[in-house]
Amino acid sequence: MATKQAHAEAARAERSEELLSPSELFHARSRSHKIPVRGQKEFLPTGSEQQKTHLQKSLQEHWTLVAEERVERLGNLVNAEWIPEEKLVKLQSPAGKFWQTMGFSHCGKQCLLPEEALYLMECGNVQVFYQDLPLSIQEGYERFLSPETVTLHQYQVFGHLKRLGYVVNRFDPSTVPSLYERQLNLPLSRDRQNKQLKRKRSHSPGSRSCEKQTSIPQEDTAVGPCEDVLTGEPHQTIQSKKEQDEPMDSGSHVDRAPERNWWTAASSQSRSMTGLPAALPWDFRLISFPDLGSSRAARTCLAAPDPELLPGALQVGECKMASWLTKLNLKEEKLSRRERERQRERDRYKRSVNDDREVRRCTNWAEYLELMKKRRRQRCKERPAHLWEKDVTPLSQPGLCTSHRELLEEVSIIQSSHLLEEASKLPQLDQWRIIFNVYQPDTVADFKKSHPGNPYTRMCVCSFDGPVPDLRVMKQLSFQSADIPVTFAVVDHGDISFYCFKEFKLPSDFY
Amino acid sequence: MDCERPAEDHGTRQNGGAGEGGEAAGAESEGDRERSREPRVNISLVGGTPLLWRAGDIRRVREEDGVVGALVGSLARQPRQNVRLGRPLEILQEEASLLLQRGRAAVQHTHNQEDEESHVKAVEAYQSRLEHSYEEQCVLALEDKKAVLQRVMNAKQNDHTCDEGTEQAMRERLSSLQKGFTLPRSAMAVQLCTARAGFGHCPEEAAFLAADWPMPRDERSETRFRVYRDLRGRGFYLTAAGKFGGDYLVYPGDPLRFHAHFIALCLSMDEQLPLCDVLAVARLGSNVKKTVLLCSPRDSGVEGEVVYSSLQWSGMV
């Protein structure tokens, strides 16, 4: 008992040592802000006097730096209060310059996320109170950092980047547009962007899975019944060819964007008319886009749109299409000479499925597959048995490939795969998640919290004790991050190293 | 006053007669009593990571226990840079274990239950402290101002250039300063405490038992711990070596002044290491001008003894 008391007393004495007296506080205002330089290190301790004095000097400087306490003018401090129930810090006096890149408004109050508040405490900008008493930095670490907010490791990365001048905010998966939305070049719905300003608790897995689903149908439609009759069974190759072309494809989507800006105009207009933010992001599985060209004969009347999609009091009934259809330009497409030449060039090597009479006679998918099978059987008969009847068969057939490139594609068994392939279908892992958006320091001047734009990179925090991210994790994270690169910050006892994985395509030297 | 403290500590320990090395077995009780008189080092845990907060503690463990650790907070003097960092000090799990085992440190537990009364008292104490500080700073600021004026007057008198008029004006300013000076409250300097302050509202309880330590005692951490203890016992300074793909960086002297010589890799005796890993780590070691040490604690027999093998790139010409 006695020893315990003695210890408590000693601890109290120790504590008061770190509390500065009024005169120390007063004189701290004029102390130096220089950081002493560390000289060159030496290889071996020789026990020489010179070495000893060097070490003593370095250590003395070190201890002075470490022991120094933060002293600020009361007028320069922003006061705030820690709300443990909501895990955030509410400002009690107007925010300072940091408001440009940090904080958010919540119910008319200026708030800071725990990591932001802690960083600003460390910078001597904010004094946080809890139950009318100021929190020390230590208490800030102990109270603010938790798995529900950010962990110590994540905060170390946050602080490291903030000290370097980067703008860092929490990553919210729901603000990343889905693949489908990006390809349509849809504007981010307003309330979604607002949500980013609002506070973000830990991500709800529900919203994430919903987003994934919306993008699945799109991928499926990419593989149409456009088989090349001549190659027999090229379903696979065609698909992979398509995916190889994908980067170019998405580029052209962007080019096509202006054609679609009627949609942008319409949506912003409708919202300004009602003045109400849309309740939910659109679910494109349930919204049909009328296709007037092809279904001309079938329909004369367009069903009324879902009233939920319309702003407020607007009423839209069925639409008679007869008059519109006469206005449609159904004339045959006229090609320029150049285009015609190109088409002829193409036709010389390829035949459209539709040119094949037998194929045209097929009335459904099953019949078509049957036809293909029949043809394959026929072809097999012409092949030499010693090559084709065993387990191992040639990868290509004579006469099938007309160019070097085609042949190479046929004989390459392992297709190069795109990082994002099938990523949308992978289940979510809890262990890995993106935690921060990072914006470069030179963008700070015109950074807007309401329109942060695309981040420079996104951060995922891990440690050397944990596992190395595998391909599945890579796919998932880069899918989640859309077209923004993901950086891994590896924390090891205060050391932070940054790594990123880059997709690489082996050069192939045909032609 | 900060510099005297460690010397004092040394004195008490020597009187107690319990050296750091030989306390594993017998003299435990006496040594314990002796040590409890000197303040223990407080280890605070944030998410399982041991942190030291008080400058005195950080200095003491470096000077007496050779615990280097890594500073991970913003530096008070210049918070917006990464070259020199400030408190807290993050230490290795092994360092924390060893400090606890030797009874040099205690894990700090905070609990939120506190009675209304003591809280009200704490708030009152804080407020009166603030008020007192303000008053004293007013006095100091006034003196400061007066001293500046006095200096100017003296300088002018020495110059012999000023006439009666200006000197009179100076005197008037001085007296008006005396009467009407107030330090604006916003100019008062306040301290933003780094470590938990004395007026903090959560009473802390120090647990002295190493059993409270949250670190799981699996084979790997046991191996690491024994290697750490042995190398430290030989007088080396150790820091984390994740960036070099090892367990510890081994320094011959204080890391502030000396380069590390070895990268220590902790392996239990029977652990198999793929040859390519050995090659990789040896190659890396030679590239950073360090020797790689494979460190394996002996299975039984002499407690604490570790077998070291060094890997070096040898060029055969």
Side-chain angles (χ1 to χ4, degrees):
Chain A
M1 221 53 243
T3 57
K4 202 164 185 177
Q5 215 164 8
H7 167 71
E9 243 156 56
R12 215 166 298 133
E14 177 98 351
R15 255 183 267 145
S16 55
E17 196 178 283
E18 294 203 338
L19 275 183
L20 302 180
S21 73
S23 75
E24 283 173 314
L25 283 174
F26 185 76
H27 293 298
R29 304 199 299 184
S30 53
R31 70 187 174 193
S32 141
H33 285 278
K34 266 199 195 136
I35 297 179
V37 253
R38 276 184 286 205
Q40 272 292 324
K41 284 187 178 185
E42 280 161 284
F43 184 70
L44 256 181
T46 54
S48 71
E49 265 324 295
Q50 195 198 11
Q51 245 183 12
K52 266 186 202 156
T53 49
H54 263 178
L55 178 61
Q56 276 314 314
K57 187 169 160 276
S58 300
L59 277 173
Q60 201 49 52
E61 283 170 349
H62 181 71
W63 297 130
T64 317
L65 270 189
V66 169
E68 205 162 86
E69 286 283 315
R70 289 170 180 79
V71 177
E72 296 294 330
R73 282 161 173 262
L74 197 58
N76 293 347
L77 283 172
V78 174
N79 282 347
E81 195 189 357
W82 166 237
I83 317 283
E85 297 80 31
E86 297 179 60
K87 300 238 176 278
L88 52 81
V89 170
K90 282 188 179 158
L91 298 189
Q92 289 166 322
S93 53
K97 209 180 135 205
F98 60 81
W99 193 251
Q100 200 199 343
T101 54
M102 284 188 257
F104 59 95
S105 293
H106 179 55
C107 303
K109 274 276 203 177
Q110 290 187 311
C111 300
L112 290 172
L113 289 171
E115 67 270 24
E116 295 173 333
L118 194 51
Y119 173 71
L120 291 168
M121 278 165 82
E122 289 201 85
C123 287
N125 295 131
V126 172
Q127 192 174 25
V128 180
F129 288 82
Y130 175 59
Q131 296 179 341
D132 299 321
L133 286 172
L135 290 176
S136 61
I137 312 269
Q138 178 179 6
E139 286 159 309
Y141 270 69
E142 287 165 358
R143 284 169 189 273
F144 297 178
L145 303 182
S146 67
E148 296 95 66
T149 56
V150 293
T151 62
L152 177 65
H153 279 173
Q154 286 163 348
Y155 176 69
Q156 283 176 352
V157 173
F158 178 84
H160 182 93
L161 292 168
K162 287 300 286 184
R163 285 191 288 266
L164 288 173
Y166 287 94
V167 177
V168 186
N169 55 34
R170 273 204 217 165
F171 169 70
D172 179 2
S174 67
T175 56
V176 178
S178 69
L179 198 62
Y180 189 66
E181 284 170 293
R182 263 177 282 142
Q183 290 192 341
L184 278 175
N185 197 30
L186 288 175
L188 263 186
S189 76
R190 258 246 307 277
D191 66 303
R192 243 188 209 203
Q193 285 195 328
N194 284 348
K195 216 162 67 188
Q196 194 168 25
L197 272 189
K198 296 274 150 55
R199 68 171 313 228
K200 296 143 275 179
R201 272 177 185 277
S202 53
H203 326 295
S204 65
S207 67
R208 221 186 284 144
S209 62
C210 152
E211 200 151 339
K212 252 182 281 157
Q213 278 166 10
T214 54
S215 59
I216 292 171
Q218 193 275 333
E219 275 196 10
D220 292 343
T221 53
V223 191
C226 50
E227 281 192 51
D228 199 321
V229 180
L230 284 173
T231 41
E233 198 183 34
H235 199 90
Q236 290 258 314
T237 40
I238 284 187
Q239 192 178 356
S240 62
K241 253 184 242 162
K242 272 207 166 318
E243 271 146 358
Q244 278 171 347
D245 292 342
E246 208 158 61
M248 285 195 318
D249 257 353
S250 57
S252 60
H253 276 302
V254 177
D255 292 343
R256 250 179 276 147
E259 284 175 43
R260 301 196 190 260
N261 60 13
W262 55 270
W263 181 263
T264 321
S267 64
S268 62
Q269 213 176 32
S270 66
R271 210 166 293 132
S272 64
M273 269 160 63
T274 57
L276 282 169
L280 285 164
W282 297 298
D283 186 348
F284 290 100
R285 288 168 301 172
L286 304 177
I287 304 170
S288 65
F289 289 87
D291 179 3
L292 301 185
S294 63
S295 59
R296 186 162 57 111
R299 278 198 261 167
T300 52
C301 203
L302 205 59
D306 190 339
E308 272 183 40
L309 302 172
L310 298 172
L314 197 64
Q315 284 195 337
V316 178
E318 286 194 340
C319 178
K320 292 261 181 280
M321 285 167 53
S323 62
W324 293 103
L325 287 177
T326 58
K327 288 177 190 164
L328 276 182
N329 180 6
L330 294 170
K331 262 186 227 155
E332 204 178 324
E333 177 183 29
K334 263 202 180 150
L335 299 173
S336 70
R337 215 181 63 192
R338 200 127 164 242
E339 281 169 324
R340 249 178 290 151
E341 265 171 30
R342 217 178 290 154
Q343 188 146 35
R344 222 175 296 139
E345 189 82 4
R346 244 183 282 141
D347 291 347
R348 208 186 301 166
Y349 298 113
K350 267 190 192 157
R351 275 170 57 197
S352 162
V353 198
N354 296 324
D355 294 343
D356 192 315
R357 269 210 201 131
E358 276 184 277
V359 173
R360 283 182 122 173
R361 237 175 274 137
C362 299
T363 54
N364 60 36
W365 193 239
E367 276 179 33
Y368 174 71
L369 288 178
E370 190 54 44
L371 175 71
M372 288 297 113
K373 225 190 227 167
K374 208 175 87 192
R375 287 190 178 174
R376 224 172 294 133
R377 269 200 305 274
Q378 263 173 8
R379 247 195 314 269
C380 283
K381 276 177 200 157
E382 297 155 16
R383 291 168 178 161
H386 67 281
L387 276 180
W388 292 94
E389 300 297 301
K390 287 177 190 159
D391 289 345
V392 181
T393 56
L395 286 168
S396 186
Q397 298 174 38
L400 261 189
C401 299
T402 49
S403 72
H404 192 189
R405 180 198 198 128
E406 266 180 33
L407 180 67
L408 279 173
E409 273 169 20
E410 283 258 309
V411 297
S412 67
I413 304 167
I414 302 167
Q415 298 290 336
S416 75
S417 106
H418 190 259
L419 188 61
L420 286 179
E421 232 166 73
E422 308 235 300
S424 56
K425 288 166 192 155
L426 290 171
Q428 199 58 47
L429 291 173
D430 285 339
Q431 197 184 358
W432 296 93
R433 66 189 180 98
I434 301 173
I435 178 90
F436 296 124
N437 288 324
V438 180
Y439 302 84
Q440 274 187 305
D442 53 7
T443 62
V444 171
D446 34 39
F447 181 83
K448 283 199 177 68
K449 283 187 290 185
S450 52
H451 298 283
N454 276 342
Y456 169 62
T457 185
R458 295 205 164 104
M459 278 294 153
C460 182
V461 176
C462 51
S463 91
F464 280 132
D465 300 328
V468 176
D470 55 15
L471 184 61
R472 170 195 286 264
V473 172
M474 298 296 313
K475 274 181 175 245
Q476 239 156 17
L477 293 183
S478 30
F479 175 72
Q480 204 179 66
S481 171
D483 34 13
I484 311 297
V486 178
T487 306
F488 291 85
V490 188
V491 184
D492 173 61
H493 299 98
D495 282 328
I496 301 172
S497 7
F498 297 94
Y499 297 93
C500 68
F501 292 88
K502 288 225 165 102
E503 193 174 15
F504 177 73
K505 253 188 193 157
L506 277 176
S508 45
D509 46 3
F510 41 78
Y511 299 124
Chain B
M1 63 181 179
D2 214 24
C3 341
E4 285 166 29
R5 178 165 283 284
E8 257 173 38
D9 288 348
H10 259 292
T12 49
R13 194 142 34 79
Q14 270 154 18
N15 290 344
E20 279 300 297
E23 64 191 18
E28 198 75 4
S29 61
E30 198 189 332
D32 261 358
R33 213 173 329 119
E34 199 53 54
R35 261 194 309 277
S36 64
R37 234 170 272 162
E38 66 185 76
R40 278 170 203 259
V41 171
N42 266 333
I43 297 177
S44 140
L45 289 178
V46 174
T49 307
L51 300 176
L52 300 188
W53 282 95
R54 293 185 313 216
D57 285 353
I58 294 173
R59 182 168 185 170
R60 201 170 316 131
V61 296
R62 174 90 154 239
E63 286 174 349
E64 294 168 23
D65 306 273
V67 169
V68 182
L71 292 164
V72 293
S74 302
L75 188 70
R77 186 177 288 191
Q78 244 187 58
R80 289 165 202 269
Q81 45 83 34
N82 278 324
V83 184
R84 289 298 278 270
L85 293 176
R87 283 180 281 162
L89 183 85
E90 180 176 335
I91 60 174
L92 301 171
Q93 302 279 351
E94 291 75 25
E95 290 172 325
S97 303
L98 200 60
L99 286 173
L100 287 171
Q101 220 178 54
R102 292 191 175 155
R104 298 269 300 133
V107 177
Q108 224 176 55
H109 285 280
T110 58
H111 47 118
N112 291 329
Q113 49 185 30
E114 59 174 299
D115 51 313
E116 197 64 25
E117 200 182 330
S118 68
H119 175 67
V120 170
K121 260 190 201 152
V123 174
E124 271 170 14
Y126 166 69
Q127 293 292 353
S128 75
R129 198 187 146 80
L130 206 63
E131 206 46 51
H132 168 74
S133 172
Y134 174 62
E135 280 161 18
E136 239 175 84
Q137 283 188 46
C138 280
V139 174
L140 286 166
L142 179 60
E143 270 167 19
D144 205 44
K145 274 251 159 77
K146 280 202 298 202
V148 170
L149 265 181
Q150 203 71 51
R151 237 192 346 265
V152 173
M153 271 162 71
N154 289 348
K156 293 223 164 141
Q157 269 171 352
N158 289 348
D159 281 354
H160 300 293
T161 49
C162 67
D163 47 86
E164 275 303 299
T166 49
E167 206 185 312
Q168 188 57 40
M170 282 290 202
R171 263 182 228 293
E172 268 167 33
R173 268 180 68 189
L174 198 61
S175 64
S176 73
L177 198 64
Q178 195 101 42
K179 272 181 257 160
F181 175 79
T182 47
L183 178 74
R185 229 183 145 79
S186 64
M188 173 171 95
V190 289
Q191 179 184 2
L192 299 171
C193 294
T194 306
R196 191 192 310 284
F199 47 77
H201 33 65
C202 49
E204 58 195 57
E205 188 181 277
F208 302 138
L209 292 171
D212 283 21
W213 188 241
M215 188 172 86
R217 287 311 220 145
D218 57 7
E219 198 194 336
R220 165 116 187 98
S221 57
E222 186 64 33
T223 307
R224 271 179 61 113
F225 178 68
R226 285 178 63 184
V227 172
Y228 177 85
R229 195 175 47 189
D230 190 70
L231 281 171
R232 187 79 265 297
R234 289 163 193 262
F236 291 107
Y237 284 80
L238 302 164
T239 63
K243 58 189 162 192
F244 293 117
D247 286 295
Y248 305 116
L249 272 176
V250 185
Y251 294 81
D254 194 298
L256 208 54
R257 293 292 317 158
F258 300 102
H259 291 290
H261 284 191
F262 308 108
I263 299 168
L265 217 61
C266 303
L267 298 163
S268 70
M269 274 295 189
D270 311 314
E271 199 170 330
Q272 294 197 340
L273 196 63
L275 186 63
C276 57
D277 283 10
V278 178
L279 287 175
V281 77
R283 182 96 198 204
L284 188 139
S286 70
N287 270 3
V288 294
K289 296 201 183 98
K290 298 187 200 325
T291 304
V292 172
L293 289 184
L294 302 179
C295 321
S296 308
R298 264 190 228 288
D299 289 337
S300 55
V302 202
E303 168 72 17
E305 206 180 310
V306 179
V307 179
Y308 298 96
S309 343
S310 73
L311 290 178
Q312 232 164 0
W313 195 264
S314 75
M316 297 265 282
V317 190

